[in-house]
Amino acid sequence: AQTVTQSQPEMSVQEAETVTLSCTYDTSESDYYLFWYKQPPSRQMILVIRQEAYKQQNATENRFSVNFQKAAKSFSLKISDSQLGDAAMYFCAYRSAVNYGGSQGNLIFGKGTKLSVKP
Amino acid sequence: SQTIHQWPATLVQPVGSPLSLECTVEGTSNPNLYWYRQAAGRGLQLLFYSVGIGQISSEVPQNLSASRPQDRQFILSSKKLLLSDSGFYLCAWSGWLGQETQYFGPGTRLLVL
């Protein structure tokens, strides 16, 4: 079974600085997707960025970028020019690209990293 | 564009009472639908998913059930709530084929007393 591990329960960053959140995963599959979701105090899960395992190029969305190391099974999120609105729980998630009996590949989440942004 | 709704936003229920949470999606057809639960300070746990009307798969044994009476409607129910059912319930949708990203609704906070 696949697992996702976020080893940093909490992180803190100064406004305008850069912070990197870590995520590692375990899988025997070669084709899959990886995601970072943000959960602000409102608790709605918001997609931040996604990465297809078959792509070597790291995904980027404005101030958010990932460092995807497939061999090391590592998927870290870098937030540049941190803003107060970035303060939230961040979840790393894995999804198989294989369709298991109609499941369409369910998401497997890490336990999250709470990011605080200091003004 | 697609939107996903959940209600109620907050619910306080006594132990042993029934439960019905509703999720609806707009702007898409034949979505895959999911129910997750997030206990305080913990990650998300998949409870149910559905790939079509009347098709429900359960991920964990519990006293909850799910139904999909219409293409874009997903309902989470219980006949008798337990204290351990308290948590934050999130509904999500994804495309039925080749659209692997799941998009989440605003969630329902359930407190069982």
Side-chain angles (χ1 to χ4, degrees):
Chain A
Q2 297 83 15
T3 59
V4 176
T5 302
Q6 293 179 250
S7 59
Q8 306 154 316
E10 295 188 25
M11 292 282 287
S12 181
V13 63
Q14 203 71 31
E15 194 175 7
E17 298 294 311
T18 296
V19 64
T20 299
L21 308 183
S22 301
C23 173
T24 58
Y25 56 95
D26 188 25
T27 184
S28 59
E29 299 175 331
S30 60
D31 197 11
Y32 48 86
Y33 304 97
L34 296 166
F35 305 86
W36 279 99
Y37 284 89
K38 169 185 176 181
Q39 188 178 40
S42 67
R43 300 193 72 177
Q44 181 165 6
M45 296 288 283
I46 302 166
L47 177 69
V48 175
I49 200 166
R50 81 176 196 192
Q51 174 80 42
E52 291 86 350
Y54 63 85
K55 290 185 178 180
Q56 293 185 339
Q57 186 174 6
N58 289 323
T60 299
E61 286 288 341
N62 300 316
R63 298 183 294 108
F64 299 88
S65 61
V66 299
N67 183 4
F68 174 48
Q69 301 290 328
K70 190 172 184 179
K73 297 180 183 176
S74 172
F75 183 59
S76 61
L77 175 69
K78 186 172 81 171
I79 306 174
S80 303
D81 186 25
S82 296
Q83 301 175 1
L84 295 177
D86 295 333
M89 283 289 289
Y90 285 82
F91 291 92
C92 179
Y94 170 101
R95 184 190 187 277
S96 172
V98 177
N99 182 1
Y100 292 109
S103 73
Q104 299 292 319
N106 300 319
L107 281 173
I108 299 169
F109 284 88
K111 293 187 177 181
T113 297
K114 183 177 181 180
L115 177 66
S116 301
V117 181
K118 298 179 180 178
Chain B
S1 63
Q2 301 86 4
T3 55
I4 179 169
H5 304 280
Q6 285 186 247
W7 63 88
T10 304
L11 191 60
V12 181
Q13 291 284 92
V15 170
S17 64
L19 173 73
S20 181
L21 303 181
E22 189 166 342
C23 170
T24 59
V25 181
E26 297 177 352
T28 186
S29 297
N30 301 319
N32 287 354
L33 297 172
Y34 309 82
W35 277 113
Y36 291 86
R37 177 169 60 199
Q38 184 179 31
R42 300 177 67 178
L44 276 72
Q45 179 187 38
L46 179 65
L47 302 175
F48 301 94
Y49 65 88
S50 172
V51 299
I53 296 174
Q55 302 179 60
I56 308 295
S57 297
S58 174
E59 288 295 298
V60 293
Q62 61 221 325
N63 69 321
L64 298 172
S65 62
S67 62
R68 185 169 176 174
Q70 301 181 38
D71 181 45
R72 289 169 288 183
Q73 184 184 31
F74 204 24
I75 297 172
L76 183 68
S77 304
S78 175
K79 292 182 179 179
K80 289 186 177 181
L81 283 169
L82 306 173
L83 288 174
S84 57
D85 291 326
S86 292
F88 190 62
Y89 289 82
L90 286 155
C91 181
W93 76 273
S94 69
W96 67 279
L97 182 64
Q99 298 169 22
E100 65 285 350
T101 301
Q102 291 185 20
Y103 298 94
F104 288 81
T108 295
R109 302 171 192 267
L110 173 64
L111 180 60
V112 182
L113 300 175

